[in-house]
Amino acid sequence: MRPEVPRPRPALARTALAVAGIGLGATTALAFTAETASQFTAPGGAATFLGSLTGLVGTYLALMMVLLVSRIPAVERVLGQDGLLRWHRRLAPWPISLLVAHALLITVGYAQAARAGVWHQVGVMLTKYPDVLTATVGLGIMCFIGVVSLRAIRSRLRRETWWLIHLWMYLALAISFAHVLALGPSFVGHPLTQVVWSVAWAATAGLVLCYRFGLPLVRSMRHRLVVAEVRSEGPGVVSVICRGRHLDKLAVAGGQFFCWRFLTPRMWWQAHPYTLSALPQPPYLRLTVKGVGDHSAALAKLRPGTKVVIEGPYGAFTRYAQYRKRALLVAGGIGVTALRSLLEDLPRNSAPVVVLRATRAEDLVLAKEVAELVRYRHGRLHEVVGTREQAGLDDKSLARLVPDLRDRDLYICGPAGFVDDTVDLAKRLGVPDEAIHHEAYVL
């Protein structure tokens, strides 16, 4: 019997959001409570105050960015990985911009107070003030990460390169911590504030260590997964079947994914997200992957016995997100993997409508398994094969295939462009936002 999968609890996510908002308010208040009227009106006082304010808020938002990708289960189950990353990207420009403003304003304020030139003050702060040099290095790392994350540059980098560069953010925050306590006007001479701020940093670091490192290590040691077989499913597509222990205790819902780390000499240092293409069948787990990059293509060459480390399960693309009694499941290409495991998790008489979209018939991998699952659940399966011009999904074709579309929840999975187009199509046909659930594969 499968273990019960923890359900999304929106109230917990809302509570976390409220706590984050209260923390931002308290952080802003620190800058005001540490300032007196005489300090503000003194030479350089206004610039120093604004520098302190932007530094506090920028640092707090940087910690929030880290927490968004620390994969706290209660939040991740509600927003899903796509939602968390979307908020992470929206927030990203603010902490870097505020911290750059902090550095500039503090330098100007101190220069005005010392009645010295700005460049002279830069030299003094870097050489005479404790921890300013390391904090400057940390800010430089953050700015570099921000530039690399721009879409025009990010799209030209290998995923592994971008991932390694992003890890430097942890180093940047760590080496900036001492500078805040040593020089921040809100902290110098305020031991209670120092303790609270230290606890906030320690809690952030603890959550990252727990959910990004500790829990995956414990789970991997418990299940001891190894590659049992690599099976071809179609052109460029393979299934990797892993064998492990106690998989009957692994609480995973159909449609969720793991981050997989295969311990070979060339792959051990990187983890990639791949969806389960079937619910666990103890002692086996299966993922099905299309070789579109270095890592995914290398999976076809894995040897039986290769050890596997997993992180997860993640994702809100599950039956627990469903609002209505019946659902429409649409998959483009290799997006069938998430759809297939989600379909397996639906109740016996759920009567789903499933649409599989592919350019060629041979690209309809796992189609026989999907057909059997649909038949068992008394649903309908439509295979749409051909180029976009020949057999694309549009307003007329989708309305014809699914006349009761507006009465169903819609699950969409596949390449990002396919997902975006189908979401827009569904909205034009009157499907409300809360009934649309999607998972995009960035190829």
Side-chain angles (χ1 to χ4, degrees), residues 106-107 109-111 113-114 120-136 178-179 182-184:
I106 286 290
T107 302
Y110 280 26
H120 172 77
Q121 188 62 36
V122 169
V124 171
M125 295 179 71
L126 291 176
T127 57
K128 301 290 180 64
Y129 284 64
D131 303 308
V132 168
L133 180 59
T134 55
T136 303
H179 148 75
L183 294 177

Side-chain angles (χ1 to χ4, degrees), residues 20-369:
I22 292 170
L24 178 59
T27 300
T28 305
L30 282 177
F32 286 93
T33 56
E35 191 76 19
T36 64
S38 59
Q39 289 172 327
F40 187 82
T41 56
T48 302
F49 165 74
L50 291 175
S52 177
L53 177 62
T54 53
L56 284 169
V57 175
T59 302
Y60 182 83
L61 292 179
L63 294 179
M64 291 299 102
M65 279 182 59
V66 172
L67 285 177
L68 281 172
V69 292
S70 65
R71 295 169 183 164
I72 301 171
V75 178
E76 201 275 340
R77 289 188 199 110
V78 175
L79 296 180
Q81 198 63 11
D82 278 359
L84 290 173
L85 290 176
R86 190 160 51 247
W87 278 103
H88 178 82
R89 286 192 291 267
R90 289 174 180 172
L91 184 61
W94 289 100
I96 296 175
S97 301
L98 288 169
L99 290 172
V100 169
H102 159 74
L104 295 174
L105 289 166
I106 286 290
T107 302
V108 170
Y110 280 26
Q112 291 176 348
R115 303 186 187 280
V118 171
W119 288 112
H120 172 77
Q121 188 62 36
V122 169
V124 171
M125 295 179 71
L126 291 176
T127 57
K128 301 290 180 64
Y129 284 64
D131 303 308
V132 168
L133 180 59
T134 55
T136 303
V137 172
L139 179 58
I141 293 173
M142 291 183 197
C143 292
F144 176 68
I145 294 172
V147 171
V148 168
S149 298
L150 294 173
R151 185 183 297 272
I153 299 176
R154 165 71 181 90
S155 61
R156 298 174 182 270
L157 294 175
R158 294 171 58 197
R159 182 187 184 278
E160 294 82 3
T161 303
W162 176 82
W163 178 74
L164 281 175
I165 291 173
H166 240 63
L167 289 180
W168 294 356
M169 181 63 78
Y170 296 121
L171 173 64
L173 288 171
I175 65 178
S176 303
F177 172 68
H179 148 75
V180 176
L181 297 186
L183 294 177
S186 303
F187 300 97
V188 176
H190 297 80
L192 179 60
T193 303
Q194 291 181 359
V195 169
V196 172
W197 194 251
S198 298
V199 169
W201 281 66
T204 301
L207 288 170
V208 170
L209 290 172
C210 176
Y211 291 120
R212 294 301 302 273
F213 300 99
L215 186 58
L217 180 60
V218 170
R219 185 164 285 150
S220 297
M221 291 178 66
R222 182 186 190 192
H223 297 299
R224 296 187 184 180
L225 289 173
V226 298
V227 174
E229 180 187 353
V230 178
R231 179 190 304 159
S232 176
E233 300 286 2
V237 179
V238 298
S239 284
V240 180
I241 297 135
C242 299
R243 183 179 64 251
R245 306 187 316 160
H246 309 305
L247 294 183
D248 56 323
K249 308 294 185 186
L250 184 61
V252 57
Q256 289 190 307
F257 67 92
F258 288 86
C259 289
W260 303 80
R261 190 184 302 272
F262 298 93
L263 303 185
T264 71
R266 294 187 178 182
M267 302 173 70
W268 67 268
W269 57 274
Q270 52 184 304
H272 283 241
Y274 299 118
T275 306
L276 288 180
S277 57
L279 292 176
Q281 299 291 331
Y284 299 107
L285 276 183
R286 187 184 75 177
L287 60 150
T288 303
V289 180
K290 184 175 183 179
V292 295
D294 293 344
H295 190 273
S296 54
L299 298 187
K301 301 176 183 178
L302 287 172
R303 295 182 177 180
T306 300
K307 294 181 179 179
V308 184
V309 174
I310 56 172
E311 181 186 342
Y314 299 126
F317 190 78
T318 70
R319 66 187 179 95
Y320 301 112
Q322 189 171 340
Y323 283 87
R324 294 160 178 187
K325 188 175 181 181
R326 295 186 175 179
L328 164 64
L329 282 61
V330 180
I334 197 60
V336 70
T337 57
L339 183 146
R340 191 262 180 231
S341 62
L342 171 61
L343 182 60
E344 187 179 2
D345 216 9
L346 295 182
R348 171 71 187 272
N349 295 313
S350 52
V353 174
V354 176
V355 177
L356 301 183
R357 172 77 180 90
T359 304
R360 303 173 301 173
E362 55 266 35
D363 293 328
L364 290 172
V365 297
L366 308 181
K368 291 183 179 179
E369 295 182 21

